[in-house]
Amino acid sequence: MAATGFRGPRQIWNAFKWSMKGLQAGWRHEASFRLEVCIAVVLVPLGLWLGNGPLEKIALIVPPVLVLSAELLNSAVEAVVDKVSPEFHELAGRAKDMGSAAVFLLLALTALSWGLILWPHWA
């Protein structure tokens, strides 16, 4: 249910704490998220170092962060589907597969961005 009324510092602080709990849950329960965090920890600083100018830096940094976001959303979908319908159902499987596909597309975007930006520098 949406919050009504004034959203002051306390609500902002609570939203921050809930976000940190979500990141902790992703780290604790999702091996794919842990792997992607490790990759992002390497790629983000490397993107800042290797990118020529702000646009290249953004194009190298944003895709790995989007992968992390999509992985968390995919994990959330999977958790809800498993809670609501523990037995196999075609729609449940489709929802999980589509979440996985979203992560895959962003991983491909990451590889494409890095390749298109860095290939001319090394070719």
Side-chain angles (χ1 to χ4, degrees):
M1 186 156 106
T4 57
F6 179 71
R7 295 205 35 101
R10 175 175 283 159
Q11 288 80 12
I12 293 169
W13 177 249
N14 286 337
F16 174 78
K17 289 191 307 187
W18 296 324
S19 296
M20 294 303 104
K21 282 178 65 173
L23 287 170
Q24 288 174 346
W27 180 264
R28 185 176 303 120
H29 301 289
E30 299 297 330
S32 295
F33 182 71
R34 288 190 298 272
L35 176 62
E36 291 156 356
V37 166
C38 291
I39 292 169
V41 163
V42 172
L43 290 183
V44 169
L46 203 55
L48 287 170
W49 183 56
L50 294 175
N52 290 329
L55 292 179
E56 278 191 8
K57 290 177 191 296
I58 293 285
L60 293 173
I61 291 169
V62 168
V65 175
L66 290 176
V67 168
L68 296 176
S69 300
E71 185 64 52
L72 288 170
L73 290 170
N74 181 41
S75 297
V77 166
E78 289 181 352
V80 169
V81 165
D82 289 345
K83 171 70 175 165
V84 170
S85 177
E87 70 278 346
F88 177 78
H89 189 279
E90 180 186 349
L91 293 176
R94 189 183 313 163
K96 288 182 172 189
D97 291 346
M98 291 185 339
S100 179
V103 174
F104 172 77
L105 289 174
L106 287 169
L107 286 168
L109 174 66
T110 301
L112 181 65
S113 297
W114 278 75
L116 288 174
I117 290 171
L118 297 180
W119 180 259
H121 297 297
W122 293 332

